[in-house]
Amino acid sequence: MRALLVVNPAATTTSARTRDVLIHALASEMKLEVVTTEYRGHARDLGRQAAESDDIELVVALGGDGTVNEVVNGLLHNGPDLDRLPRLAVVPGGSTNVFARALGLPNDAVEATGALLDALREDRERAIGLGLAAGTPGTEDEAVPSRWFTFCAGLGFDAGVIGRVEQQRERGKRSTHALYLRQVVRQFLDEPHRRHGMITLERPGQDPVTDLVLSIICNTSPWTFLGNRPVYASPKASFDTGLDVLGLNRMSTAAVARYATQLLTSSPERGPHGKHALSLHDLTDFTLHSKVPLPLQMDGDHLGLRTSVTFTGVRRALRVIV
């Protein structure tokens, strides 16, 4: 088997020595080409090259969720094709690694590599669904290129938090759960629309849902992790179904305290709920419109401001080694 290993040298939980050990282990089982990313978007370019090659059968992403997202967008540049495209494997190297952990992989890079090699020997793979977001036709965002996401997206509050975290990381701060929690508080205190939501959700054949302050789109569950604690925004979300949505139409201090507690105590059986919470399951197509430009994030990557985004849940989009 010929495989491409895409290595993010800035991955926060793997050292150069660890990466060398992992590369040696993988190279013992396959004909391995190793490329280290050098710029933002490099992993996407490498994924696209692998998709257009005639002999690469597997692409391994060694890094965090951002690296995986780039590789996936490269592989699916021309759309899904289960019979033709290389399979994807992931070795977690980021601070949270939601996608890898949602697939059931160990969060330790060395253990995950061992699990990956076992899966390859036993020919274990899974065809998973993914989310696709694009600018909505007929709006000022219609020219925004479409982008795939593996586990979540968000328009509004949570994307604002991620934008703040990225600003702190650019200033040299480490990506920790404490950093995220601090930015959640700051985003809440500065949120200008927390009492009167700007977001409207539209879906075919249904009345629109208006005045949402927060909108989280989940392609799998859990939504994220706080250390080893899984957090379930949409417990029913799955790689085998369409997209799920959690929306809130109020973010008063009391409401935030209630829903934050529900998130922290969430389980596979129960997520946030109440009169100000909207939970939708297994959606194929829907659009989020905002009265004002709001931040958008996908797989933990802040993508700037948007006023209208159309989401599509695409089943069986990619084969993944598990």
Side-chain angles (χ1 to χ4, degrees):
M1 175 188 297
R2 185 180 173 201
L4 170 66
L5 174 62
V6 178
V7 179
N8 178 1
T12 55
T13 57
T14 58
S15 65
R17 180 175 295 178
T18 301
R19 290 192 288 271
D20 287 343
V21 171
L22 302 182
I23 290 169
H24 181 75
L26 292 170
S28 69
E29 299 283 340
M30 62 192 75
K31 185 178 180 182
L32 189 67
E33 177 185 358
V34 181
V35 181
T36 299
T37 58
E38 299 176 354
Y39 54 87
R40 189 180 181 116
H42 193 182
R44 180 195 62 230
D45 295 341
L46 294 170
R48 181 175 179 179
Q49 291 169 18
E52 294 172 348
S53 74
D54 295 326
D55 57 351
I56 294 179
E57 300 174 67
L58 175 70
V59 178
V60 184
L62 198 171
D65 290 311
T67 303
V68 175
N69 179 278
E70 286 195 14
V71 169
V72 167
N73 274 278
L75 286 171
L76 298 181
H77 178 78
N78 292 318
D81 188 338
L82 291 182
D83 295 328
R84 185 186 64 81
L85 290 177
R87 296 174 293 173
L88 173 70
V90 178
V91 177
S95 58
T96 310
N97 307 305
V98 178
F99 179 66
R101 295 163 84 177
L103 287 171
L105 293 171
N107 196 36
D108 177 81
V110 175
E111 292 184 13
T113 300
L116 165 61
L117 292 173
D118 287 343
L120 287 169
R121 294 184 193 108
E122 298 169 14
D123 200 26
R124 296 198 311 265
E125 66 176 52
R126 176 182 178 185
I128 64 167
L130 297 171
L132 182 65
T136 306
T139 71
E140 61 186 63
D141 288 331
E142 66 178 340
V144 175
S146 60
R147 178 162 173 158
W148 296 89
F149 58 95
T150 64
F151 66 92
C152 83
L155 181 68
F157 184 86
D158 74 309
V161 172
I162 287 173
R164 288 173 178 270
V165 169
E166 290 189 2
Q167 288 177 352
Q168 293 298 313
R169 292 185 67 181
E170 289 172 358
R171 295 170 184 165
K173 298 290 182 65
R174 290 186 66 247
S175 178
T176 64
H177 300 298
L179 176 62
Y180 273 90
L181 291 175
R182 288 197 299 272
Q183 302 315 312
V184 167
V185 173
R186 290 173 181 171
Q187 180 69 21
F188 170 71
L189 294 175
D190 293 343
E191 176 59 57
H193 310 297
R194 66 185 187 217
R195 293 189 179 275
H196 303 286
M198 298 286 108
I199 302 170
T200 296
L201 185 150
E202 295 182 350
R203 49 190 168 137
Q206 302 288 333
D207 292 335
V209 180
T210 61
D211 302 327
L212 296 175
V213 180
L214 174 149
S215 56
I216 295 173
I217 301 93
C218 293
N219 185 50
T220 189
S221 187
W223 167 53
T224 191
F225 291 83
L226 288 176
N228 291 322
R229 177 190 289 273
V231 179
Y232 299 88
S234 297
K236 293 181 181 179
S238 166
F239 288 125
D240 298 321
T241 62
L243 301 174
D244 283 26
V245 177
L246 170 66
L248 299 179
N249 61 20
R250 179 169 299 182
M251 292 192 70
S252 63
T253 302
V256 166
R258 179 168 60 253
Y259 292 121
T261 300
Q262 290 179 355
L263 276 172
L264 291 174
T265 59
S266 58
S267 71
E269 291 74 38
R270 192 169 179 82
H273 54 278
K275 65 179 181 179
H276 299 300
L278 168 75
S279 295
L280 300 174
H281 175 57
D282 194 13
L283 302 185
T284 300
D285 297 286
F286 62 95
T287 297
L288 296 177
H289 300 285
S290 175
K291 298 175 185 176
V292 297
L294 292 177
L296 173 70
Q297 69 88 8
M298 279 185 258
D299 288 345
D301 188 12
H302 187 272
L303 300 177
L305 302 178
R306 301 284 190 274
T307 55
S308 187
V309 186
T310 294
F311 293 90
T312 306
V314 182
R315 287 174 170 82
R316 295 179 58 81
L318 189 64
R319 292 181 298 158
V320 179
I321 302 298
V322 291

mmCIF file of all heavy atoms in Angstrom, residues 230-248:
data_model
loop_
_atom_site.group_PDB
_atom_site.id
_atom_site.type_symbol
_atom_site.label_atom_id
_atom_site.label_comp_id
_atom_site.label_asym_id
_atom_site.label_seq_id
_atom_site.Cartn_x
_atom_site.Cartn_y
_atom_site.Cartn_z
ATOM 1 N N PRO A 230 -16.504 14.200 27.908
ATOM 2 C CA PRO A 230 -17.206 14.532 26.669
ATOM 3 C C PRO A 230 -18.355 15.498 26.927
ATOM 4 O O PRO A 230 -19.000 15.441 27.977
ATOM 5 C CB PRO A 230 -17.727 13.174 26.179
ATOM 6 C CG PRO A 230 -17.833 12.341 27.417
ATOM 7 C CD PRO A 230 -16.756 12.827 28.349
ATOM 8 N N VAL A 231 -18.592 16.407 25.994
ATOM 9 C CA VAL A 231 -19.678 17.389 26.092
ATOM 10 C C VAL A 231 -20.621 17.157 24.917
ATOM 11 O O VAL A 231 -20.193 17.161 23.758
ATOM 12 C CB VAL A 231 -19.129 18.827 26.067
ATOM 13 C CG1 VAL A 231 -20.269 19.837 26.153
ATOM 14 C CG2 VAL A 231 -18.141 19.037 27.213
ATOM 15 N N TYR A 232 -21.906 16.974 25.229
ATOM 16 C CA TYR A 232 -22.890 16.598 24.214
ATOM 17 C C TYR A 232 -23.853 17.756 23.963
ATOM 18 O O TYR A 232 -24.765 17.994 24.748
ATOM 19 C CB TYR A 232 -23.682 15.369 24.661
ATOM 20 C CG TYR A 232 -22.833 14.142 24.889
ATOM 21 C CD1 TYR A 232 -22.244 13.890 26.126
ATOM 22 C CD2 TYR A 232 -22.616 13.235 23.861
ATOM 23 C CE1 TYR A 232 -21.458 12.770 26.329
ATOM 24 C CE2 TYR A 232 -21.832 12.104 24.059
ATOM 25 C CZ TYR A 232 -21.265 11.886 25.296
ATOM 26 O OH TYR A 232 -20.483 10.769 25.495
ATOM 27 N N ALA A 233 -23.632 18.496 22.881
ATOM 28 C CA ALA A 233 -24.585 19.538 22.497
ATOM 29 C C ALA A 233 -25.798 18.920 21.810
ATOM 30 O O ALA A 233 -26.937 19.349 22.016
ATOM 31 C CB ALA A 233 -23.911 20.547 21.579
ATOM 32 N N SER A 234 -25.571 17.905 20.985
ATOM 33 C CA SER A 234 -26.632 17.191 20.265
ATOM 34 C C SER A 234 -26.360 15.693 20.388
ATOM 35 O O SER A 234 -25.687 15.105 19.535
ATOM 36 C CB SER A 234 -26.669 17.608 18.791
ATOM 37 O OG SER A 234 -26.976 18.976 18.656
ATOM 38 N N PRO A 235 -26.840 15.064 21.439
ATOM 39 C CA PRO A 235 -26.472 13.667 21.714
ATOM 40 C C PRO A 235 -26.815 12.680 20.612
ATOM 41 O O PRO A 235 -26.162 11.638 20.490
ATOM 42 C CB PRO A 235 -27.251 13.341 23.002
ATOM 43 C CG PRO A 235 -27.462 14.668 23.658
ATOM 44 C CD PRO A 235 -27.654 15.637 22.531
ATOM 45 N N LYS A 236 -27.828 12.971 19.791
ATOM 46 C CA LYS A 236 -28.237 12.031 18.747
ATOM 47 C C LYS A 236 -27.401 12.155 17.472
ATOM 48 O O LYS A 236 -27.538 11.329 16.565
ATOM 49 C CB LYS A 236 -29.710 12.244 18.389
ATOM 50 C CG LYS A 236 -30.680 11.891 19.506
ATOM 51 C CD LYS A 236 -32.111 12.105 19.031
ATOM 52 C CE LYS A 236 -33.118 11.779 20.130
ATOM 53 N NZ LYS A 236 -34.522 12.013 19.662
ATOM 54 N N ALA A 237 -26.558 13.171 17.390
ATOM 55 C CA ALA A 237 -25.775 13.382 16.173
ATOM 56 C C ALA A 237 -24.864 12.188 15.916
ATOM 57 O O ALA A 237 -24.330 11.580 16.836
ATOM 58 C CB ALA A 237 -24.943 14.658 16.298
ATOM 59 N N SER A 238 -24.704 11.864 14.627
ATOM 60 C CA SER A 238 -23.947 10.655 14.281
ATOM 61 C C SER A 238 -23.335 10.805 12.901
ATOM 62 O O SER A 238 -23.874 11.483 12.021
ATOM 63 C CB SER A 238 -24.891 9.442 14.303
ATOM 64 O OG SER A 238 -24.297 8.321 13.687
ATOM 65 N N PHE A 239 -22.198 10.131 12.705
ATOM 66 C CA PHE A 239 -21.587 10.063 11.379
ATOM 67 C C PHE A 239 -22.475 9.311 10.380
ATOM 68 O O PHE A 239 -22.205 9.330 9.177
ATOM 69 C CB PHE A 239 -20.230 9.365 11.451
ATOM 70 C CG PHE A 239 -19.145 10.168 12.112
ATOM 71 C CD1 PHE A 239 -18.430 9.645 13.178
ATOM 72 C CD2 PHE A 239 -18.824 11.445 11.666
ATOM 73 C CE1 PHE A 239 -17.410 10.373 13.774
ATOM 74 C CE2 PHE A 239 -17.815 12.183 12.260
ATOM 75 C CZ PHE A 239 -17.109 11.641 13.322
ATOM 76 N N ASP A 240 -23.497 8.628 10.877
ATOM 77 C CA ASP A 240 -24.366 7.825 10.015
ATOM 78 C C ASP A 240 -25.658 8.535 9.634
ATOM 79 O O ASP A 240 -26.480 7.971 8.898
ATOM 80 C CB ASP A 240 -24.712 6.498 10.708
ATOM 81 C CG ASP A 240 -23.486 5.654 10.982
ATOM 82 O OD1 ASP A 240 -22.591 5.617 10.123
ATOM 83 O OD2 ASP A 240 -23.409 5.053 12.066
ATOM 84 N N THR A 241 -25.871 9.756 10.131
ATOM 85 C CA THR A 241 -27.095 10.501 9.825
ATOM 86 C C THR A 241 -26.736 11.858 9.231
ATOM 87 O O THR A 241 -25.575 12.135 8.928
ATOM 88 C CB THR A 241 -27.945 10.698 11.097
ATOM 89 O OG1 THR A 241 -27.200 11.480 12.049
ATOM 90 C CG2 THR A 241 -28.301 9.360 11.729
ATOM 91 N N GLY A 242 -27.763 12.714 9.093
ATOM 92 C CA GLY A 242 -27.524 14.074 8.630
ATOM 93 C C GLY A 242 -26.970 14.932 9.758
ATOM 94 O O GLY A 242 -26.307 14.440 10.676
ATOM 95 N N LEU A 243 -27.262 16.222 9.725
ATOM 96 C CA LEU A 243 -26.728 17.173 10.701
ATOM 97 C C LEU A 243 -27.745 17.463 11.798
ATOM 98 O O LEU A 243 -28.952 17.450 11.552
ATOM 99 C CB LEU A 243 -26.347 18.476 10.000
ATOM 100 C CG LEU A 243 -25.310 18.349 8.884
ATOM 101 C CD1 LEU A 243 -25.134 19.697 8.184
ATOM 102 C CD2 LEU A 243 -23.979 17.841 9.426
ATOM 103 N N ASP A 244 -27.254 17.715 12.994
ATOM 104 C CA ASP A 244 -28.094 18.127 14.113
ATOM 105 C C ASP A 244 -27.801 19.590 14.448
ATOM 106 O O ASP A 244 -26.692 20.079 14.203
ATOM 107 C CB ASP A 244 -27.821 17.265 15.345
ATOM 108 C CG ASP A 244 -28.462 15.891 15.235
ATOM 109 O OD1 ASP A 244 -28.674 15.421 14.095
ATOM 110 O OD2 ASP A 244 -28.739 15.275 16.281
ATOM 111 N N VAL A 245 -28.797 20.253 15.015
ATOM 112 C CA VAL A 245 -28.637 21.662 15.372
ATOM 113 C C VAL A 245 -29.079 21.881 16.809
ATOM 114 O O VAL A 245 -30.137 21.402 17.230
ATOM 115 C CB VAL A 245 -29.475 22.581 14.447
ATOM 116 C CG1 VAL A 245 -29.357 24.044 14.895
ATOM 117 C CG2 VAL A 245 -29.029 22.441 12.999
ATOM 118 N N LEU A 246 -28.257 22.606 17.565
ATOM 119 C CA LEU A 246 -28.658 23.137 18.858
ATOM 120 C C LEU A 246 -28.698 24.654 18.724
ATOM 121 O O LEU A 246 -27.694 25.275 18.347
ATOM 122 C CB LEU A 246 -27.661 22.752 19.953
ATOM 123 C CG LEU A 246 -27.864 23.470 21.303
ATOM 124 C CD1 LEU A 246 -29.176 23.059 21.951
ATOM 125 C CD2 LEU A 246 -26.687 23.223 22.243
ATOM 126 N N GLY A 247 -29.858 25.232 19.003
ATOM 127 C CA GLY A 247 -30.001 26.680 18.959
ATOM 128 C C GLY A 247 -30.533 27.202 20.280
ATOM 129 O O GLY A 247 -31.318 26.525 20.954
ATOM 130 N N LEU A 248 -30.107 28.401 20.667
ATOM 131 C CA LEU A 248 -30.626 29.078 21.855
ATOM 132 C C LEU A 248 -31.133 30.449 21.437
ATOM 133 O O LEU A 248 -30.464 31.145 20.672
ATOM 134 C CB LEU A 248 -29.543 29.247 22.924
ATOM 135 C CG LEU A 248 -28.896 27.988 23.499
ATOM 136 C CD1 LEU A 248 -27.840 28.363 24.534
ATOM 137 C CD2 LEU A 248 -29.934 27.056 24.110
#
